[in-house]
Amino acid sequence: MAATARRPEGNEPLKVLVAGVGPLGKNHARVYTELEGVVLEGVVDSDPARAREIGEKLGVPYFAELTRELLSRVHAASIVTPTPTHADVARQCIEAGISVLVEKPMTTTVKEGRGLCELADAAGVTLQVGHIERFNPVVLSAHPFVRDPVYIECDRIHPFSFRSVETSVVLDLMIHDIDITLNLVDSPVVHLEAVGAKVLSETDDLASARLTFENGCTVMVKASRVAIQKSRKMRIFSRDSYLSLDYIAKTGMRMGFKEGFDRSKIDIREMAKLEEDQGSYPLFTKYFSIEQLHVASDEPLKSELQSFLHAVRADRTPVVTGAHGLQAIEIATRIQEKIRQQQEKLGRL
Ligand SMILES: NC(=O)c1ccc[n+]([C@@H]2O[C@H](COP(=O)([O-])OP(=O)(O)OC[C@H]3O[C@@H](n4cnc5c(N)ncnc54)[C@H](O)[C@@H]3O)[C@@H](O)[C@H]2O)c1
């Protein structure tokens, strides 16, 4: 039987814990210590030496497991343990009436994810999923200009990190772009194709998928964790503009029609001739404007955790809900299944 959801009253500080203080969890813990009105009551890691290292560094209590006593003292928790453990660790917190931010992917399976959403609903706690790119200033800079997208391309390429290899690159990296594009397109996926390959790990290290949405938009997503260099880009083609985002360079560019542009009055063939004769780009310079987007310098993790804590304190729906996290896993699972079918056909299983 779940405890009643625990939320701070009035100006009471919001008390939090972080479960799992590996490479990402240590940053959750650090950010909590930097936020006003927030008290980090403790860090938990099943590796006692790691728990101690981070606890001592931040000057907070540390634990090798979630204790009843710690659970009874906090309002909210970040779950930053390896993905296969999210469901179990989050369940312990939710059953104690604690709101949770569960890192992405929320769980490894749709069944576990659905169970977690139902549990959080029944307990009345806030469940947010760590799809951090929703808080990335590069993505946010493009938001006001995304209208009725027709085609989106996403590339997310990373050197091999030896981490998260228990989950495929689809759940590990591609899920970021799945979540962003589901949010931008806001229409059901009606068709999906995918290919992929294992290179260094037991799960897929490379994947490429094409999603077709009911409203006609197409999304091409590509993810790799066996590249030489990092690259994260998104290109969004809408009816009235083209947006090009580079997450690593932290830049965004928008190309749009100049005021008064009327496609029906332009003879494209005439323009092609002009280009050939002049060796310039008359169509571009005459009809299109190009502008750099203003990209804020906010730390995405800080914005994400502030937004989570605001939702907890005010008992409001978070920006990235459990349902969003579940939707992303559902699409990721369908992509993995398509890859499996393709590999089976090629006899590569
Ligand atoms: N949002 C993002 O951009 C992003 C980036 C990186 C990782 N992640 C996600 O964050 C999670 C953690 O990633 P990581 O790379 O830090 O993982 P990691 O495996 O390197 O570290 C996880 C830590 O959790 C500890 N741990 C394991 N089981 C535990 C348990 N039951 N209770 C308490 N502690 C436990 C481990 O000892 C380790 O210190 C994963 O789900 C990953 O997908 C998200």
Side-chain angles (χ1 to χ4, degrees):
M1 179 70 184
T4 322
R6 209 174 310 131
R7 296 182 194 274
E9 284 176 15
N11 288 335
E12 186 192 350
L14 214 154
K15 296 176 183 162
V16 296
L17 69 83
V18 176
V21 279
L24 182 61
K26 72 172 186 209
N27 284 314
H28 279 243
R30 188 246 320 150
V31 169
Y32 283 134
T33 63
E34 292 169 1
L35 296 178
E36 254 180 62
V38 177
V39 179
L40 178 60
E41 288 282 333
V43 293
V44 182
D45 200 293
S46 54
D47 173 353
R50 181 72 183 180
R52 180 179 175 170
E53 179 196 334
I54 304 299
E56 284 184 348
K57 190 170 172 197
L58 296 173
V60 299
Y62 49 89
F63 307 82
E65 59 180 5
L66 283 169
T67 64
R68 264 176 199 271
E69 201 272 323
L70 177 62
L71 287 170
S72 70
R73 275 194 285 126
V74 302
H75 304 109
S78 275
I79 315 297
V80 203
T81 55
T83 304
T85 66
H86 287 181
D88 184 47
V89 179
R91 182 189 48 75
Q92 293 177 55
C93 294
I94 294 171
E95 285 180 350
I98 297 169
S99 291
V100 286
L101 183 146
V102 182
E103 258 310 330
K104 61 90 300 243
M106 180 166 66
T107 51
T108 25
T109 66
V110 171
K111 191 172 169 218
E112 278 178 334
R114 200 168 287 135
L116 216 50
C117 289
E118 286 168 4
L119 200 64
D121 271 354
V125 302
T126 305
L127 165 60
Q128 178 164 328
V129 182
H131 285 293
I132 195 167
E133 299 290 35
R134 295 270 204 111
F135 300 88
N136 186 327
V138 179
V139 176
L140 294 174
S141 74
H143 257 256
F145 306 107
V146 182
R147 279 185 287 271
D148 200 8
V150 290
Y151 188 89
I152 303 180
E153 278 178 352
C154 309
D155 287 345
R156 191 169 289 260
I157 290 166
H158 207 282
F160 197 62
S161 70
F162 302 92
R163 286 161 57 197
S164 297
V165 288
E166 66 281 355
T167 49
S168 79
V169 75
V170 177
L171 276 171
D172 180 20
L173 296 184
M174 189 185 275
I175 195 135
H176 285 294
D177 295 314
I178 294 173
D179 173 69
I180 297 176
T181 50
L182 287 179
N183 183 245
L184 288 178
V185 180
D186 195 21
S187 172
V189 174
V190 287
H191 188 70
L192 186 157
E193 290 296 329
V195 289
K198 299 179 179 69
V199 179
L200 288 174
S201 45
E202 297 289 302
T203 54
D204 290 309
D205 296 308
L206 295 162
S208 171
R210 187 178 72 219
L211 315 181
T212 309
F213 291 78
E214 195 175 77
N215 66 5
C217 182
T218 301
V219 169
M220 309 284 289
V221 262
K222 200 162 79 189
S224 161
R225 58 183 176 199
V226 284
I228 303 290
Q229 279 182 333
K230 261 190 199 177
S231 169
R232 289 182 196 165
K233 292 189 175 162
M234 182 180 281
R235 298 176 192 89
I236 306 167
F237 298 82
S238 295
R239 299 216 181 272
D240 64 354
S241 71
Y242 161 58
L243 293 151
S244 174
L245 310 179
D246 186 328
Y247 298 58
I248 304 288
K250 298 189 170 67
T251 57
M253 186 276 292
R254 173 177 181 258
M255 202 172 92
F257 299 125
K258 279 187 179 166
E259 210 163 309
F261 173 83
D262 183 349
R263 168 73 183 83
S264 65
K265 295 206 174 107
I266 287 180
D267 183 340
I268 295 266
R269 279 182 218 167
E270 200 51 40
M271 288 298 151
K273 261 194 255 149
L274 258 174
E275 272 199 338
E276 192 183 346
D277 295 348
Q278 297 180 5
S280 63
Y281 297 96
L283 185 67
F284 269 51
T285 49
K286 189 167 174 196
Y287 297 111
F288 295 99
S289 61
I290 297 178
E291 61 173 305
Q292 290 302 316
L293 302 179
H294 170 72
V295 177
S297 57
D298 304 330
E299 181 186 359
L301 183 59
K302 197 168 205 168
S303 306
E304 178 185 56
L305 298 185
Q306 276 173 322
S307 173
F308 168 57
L309 296 180
H310 179 69
V312 173
R313 194 178 268 286
D315 195 4
R316 291 241 177 91
T317 306
V319 173
V320 188
T321 61
H324 291 136
L326 183 59
Q327 221 183 1
I329 302 170
E330 277 167 351
I331 296 297
T333 305
R334 282 170 62 187
I335 291 174
Q336 292 183 141
E337 180 53 21
K338 281 281 178 189
I339 295 174
R340 200 195 60 75
Q341 287 169 5
Q342 165 245 359
Q343 288 173 345
E344 201 170 51
K345 243 193 245 166
L346 297 172
R348 283 213 214 123
L349 273 184

